[in-house]
Amino acid sequence: MSLRYDYTNLLHSNAIPCAPREEDLAQHETACKAAHHAILSDRKNDVLGFYDLPDQDTSRIKQPLARLHDRFDEMLVLGIGGSALGNRALYTALRTAKGLEPKLHVCDNVDPLMLKAILDDANLDRTLVNVITKSGTTAETMSVFLIVLDIMQQRFPADYQQRVIVTTDAEKGFLRQVVRQGDYTDFLVPDNVGGRFSVLTDVGLVSSAFAGLDIDALLAGAAAMRTRCECDDIWRNPAYLNGLLHYLHMRQGKNISVMMPYANALYDMADWYRQLWAESLGKRHTVDGREVFVGQTPVKALGTTDQHSQVQLYTEGPNDKVHTFLVVEDFGFDYTIPNLFPERDEVNYLGGQPLSHLLNIEALATEMALTRAGRPNCTIIFPTLDEYHLGEMIFLYEVQTVFTGKLLGVNPLDQPGVEAGKVATYGMMGKQGFDEQRREADSYIEQKASRGKVL
Ligand code: PA5
């Protein structure tokens, strides 16, 4: 059974009067057709490479991994953003449900204590390091890589290179040069797939296959969703429909998108979504240069945990959010709550009920409470938690993001706003060719110090 998309509460009703009506959606038919044609033309021009990923031959990944499996039972992924979030999300989504054996560690920060915790936890003798960076130069990934490579070199002088695999661009970047000069197994990030759209490339597939996920099922799910999302009729295309509804809600001032899985396993998928939605749509300019400052701030929350933390705000605070619940119908595992105190009404109603039933009832209860409070919401329903449905979700959101970008008139594939911080870091860290940025940073620090407002 496929992933299902329940958008009832994104449409106008007595409870949610601010939501668009079906006729409002019809008024955007021309814009939707134009967005659809723009996507077709981008695909033709080889700009949206992620559309082709479901068709790839995975033996290219599985064969080298089969060799490596004999020697390694853990993998340490070094990457950041699109080169790490999907890896972690897929692994944590299925780690418990499938009892995944090889451990996956993901280091996506330059926090020394984070790296120490990972290195303390990993059995380095049996750990395969997988450094992932499309550009091959990202400061965070490279710095952690240099530290880890140094450790590996000292500990395994004879064969440290065979303990490291590299996932990067085929031609560009420093890391590609490292591969050419060394004896590393390498994997590719296709040029036509942007970082945050790359989870179904070698970026996400290698660590997933290594950890024991069925990557063919993942791609089959993505392919099935691609078929559903190729249709130009928004009422039959879940990605276009969810994109249009989010776009229309954004125009009504719903500038926050809360993704709230009712499954701990899907919490990191919400993190993956956060990057995709934020970096792709949060833009100052349209493609034709108009200043618009658009985007919708993605927030992640966890059901039921955040019912005791965030839902008060979601129900009674500013009505500026669109909520997406992720629910799982069949967890493939359950506990039955025992009826240990049959005479006590405080708890006897719970006795005999599956724990997952309580979880899903609470999802429905939160949905109902939000709807009654006039808060637009929708639900993505996973019939089961497995690779196929994760592949569907990934593809759904990738298409939805590009489509919404087209409706907003922005380029969902670039990230100009990240550049300023990146070059300032280069300047302050003394990278060659960034003297001007260093001077700018020095002057910023000086000016700030002169204003001196620190307690
Ligand atoms: O979506 C993107 O392009 C970015 O978020 C990248 O994934 C992130 O900056 C990491 O880049 P790289 O893979 O080049 O190290």
Side-chain angles (χ1 to χ4, degrees):
M1 214 202 291
S2 301
L3 209 68
R4 303 199 301 286
Y5 165 52
D6 179 346
Y7 59 95
T8 316
N9 294 327
L10 288 183
L11 285 174
H12 175 92
S13 64
N14 288 342
I16 310 186
C18 65
R21 297 164 189 271
E22 291 195 19
E23 40 287 19
D24 296 325
L25 272 75
Q27 278 177 11
H28 287 79
E29 199 181 327
T30 312
C32 288
K33 292 262 187 264
H36 174 70
H37 286 292
I39 288 176
L40 290 183
S41 128
D42 282 354
R43 286 177 68 180
K44 210 159 146 200
N45 295 328
D46 207 17
V47 178
L48 295 176
F50 76 84
Y51 267 93
D52 303 321
L53 298 173
D55 305 323
Q56 66 194 291
D57 173 11
T58 55
S59 56
R60 191 179 45 78
I61 293 170
K62 287 187 215 153
Q63 276 162 11
L65 281 186
R67 277 197 329 269
L68 292 164
H69 256 135
D70 294 341
R71 292 187 63 197
F72 303 105
D73 350 279
E74 300 183 27
M75 178 179 275
L76 168 54
V77 167
L78 309 176
I80 199 165
S83 292
L85 288 167
N87 305 68
R88 182 187 287 125
L90 287 172
Y91 177 65
T92 55
L94 297 180
R95 178 178 46 193
T96 311
K98 292 197 72 171
L100 297 180
E101 253 322 317
K103 249 197 206 169
L104 190 70
H105 310 270
V106 180
C107 185
D108 64 347
N109 203 352
V110 288
D111 175 337
L113 289 179
M114 181 198 196
L115 182 58
K116 176 176 168 17
I118 290 174
L119 293 175
D120 286 351
D121 185 34
N123 172 8
L124 281 191
D125 290 351
R126 304 279 305 167
T127 298
L128 180 63
V129 176
N130 179 6
V131 54
I132 309 175
T133 159
K134 178 173 175 174
S135 60
T137 51
T138 302
E140 295 88 343
T141 304
M142 292 316 295
S143 54
V144 173
F145 174 57
L146 294 172
I147 292 170
V148 171
L149 190 65
D150 185 41
I151 292 171
M152 299 297 279
Q153 210 165 341
Q154 288 181 36
R155 189 141 161 191
F156 310 105
D159 69 345
Y160 70 93
Q161 294 192 351
Q162 280 116 56
R163 294 169 179 271
V164 176
I165 61 174
V166 176
T167 309
T168 192
D169 186 88
E171 301 293 335
K172 291 181 276 201
F174 169 73
L175 213 50
R176 177 51 56 192
Q177 294 167 32
V178 172
V179 172
R180 289 206 179 107
Q181 284 154 22
D183 184 19
Y184 301 93
T185 300
D186 70 308
F187 293 94
L188 296 180
V189 192
D191 197 33
N192 61 358
V193 181
R196 54 192 173 274
F197 294 86
S198 70
V199 57
L200 298 180
T201 68
D202 293 1
V203 167
L205 294 182
V206 170
S207 65
S208 297
F210 181 85
L213 269 78
D214 180 348
I215 57 172
D216 294 317
L218 187 70
L219 295 179
M225 185 55 77
R226 179 178 59 189
T227 306
R228 288 174 75 184
C229 296
E230 257 163 351
C231 165
D232 70 346
D233 174 359
I234 54 150
W235 296 106
R236 291 195 293 129
N237 182 326
Y240 287 6
L241 186 54
N242 205 23
L244 176 60
L245 284 165
H246 275 74
Y247 168 77
L248 293 174
H249 279 286
M250 250 187 264
R251 289 176 28 145
Q252 296 286 327
K254 304 285 184 278
N255 288 323
I256 298 173
S257 160
V258 179
M259 181 171 277
M260 187 167 185
Y262 271 75
N264 282 60
L266 292 173
Y267 198 36
D268 291 330
M269 284 302 292
D271 225 6
W272 170 83
Y273 161 74
R274 259 177 2 122
Q275 183 209 13
L276 185 68
W277 201 242
E279 216 166 56
S280 303
L281 303 183
K283 298 287 152 73
R284 175 174 177 173
H285 292 113
T286 58
V287 282
D288 50 15
R290 274 179 307 115
E291 198 167 67
V292 283
F293 296 107
V294 291
Q296 197 179 37
T297 305
V299 168
K300 65 171 184 166
L302 180 65
T304 62
T305 309
D306 284 326
Q307 287 177 202
H308 301 264
S309 160
Q310 303 296 298
V311 168
Q312 168 62 33
L313 170 81
Y314 296 167
T315 313
E316 294 191 354
N319 193 350
D320 54 359
K321 304 171 193 65
V322 179
H323 302 266
T324 301
F325 301 110
L326 305 181
V327 301
V328 178
E329 286 181 316
D330 180 358
F331 281 79
F333 174 83
D334 228 328
Y335 289 99
T336 301
I337 307 169
N339 202 0
L340 296 187
F341 300 95
E343 68 292 356
R344 298 303 302 255
D345 290 349
E346 295 95 324
V347 288
N348 61 11
Y349 69 98
L350 298 169
Q353 312 243 34
L355 195 58
S356 70
H357 181 61
L358 175 62
L359 182 64
N360 284 340
I361 286 290
E362 296 213 35
L364 185 59
T366 304
E367 176 200 306
M368 214 166 84
L370 288 183
T371 304
R372 293 227 161 112
R375 314 293 156 130
N377 61 83
C378 61
T379 303
I380 305 287
I381 302 152
F382 282 70
T384 50
L385 201 49
D386 55 24
E387 291 89 341
Y388 184 88
H389 295 110
L390 289 167
E392 283 187 293
M393 177 178 167
I394 288 168
F395 210 86
L396 169 74
Y397 274 97
E398 289 183 345
V399 176
Q400 177 184 316
T401 301
V402 170
F403 182 75
T404 311
K406 300 286 181 202
L407 292 179
L408 288 166
V410 301
N411 180 358
L413 305 180
D414 67 2
Q415 54 281 328
V418 180
E419 205 50 31
K422 215 188 244 180
V423 294
T425 303
Y426 288 156
M428 286 188 269
M429 291 296 285
K431 185 171 179 177
Q432 213 179 355
F434 290 84
D435 299 341
E436 197 188 319
Q437 284 79 8
R438 176 170 201 134
R439 281 193 292 278
E440 265 175 35
D442 286 347
S443 120
Y444 168 79
I445 292 164
E446 213 172 284
Q447 278 175 30
K448 191 179 166 205
S450 72
R451 297 206 308 276
K453 301 266 186 287
V454 182
L455 272 185

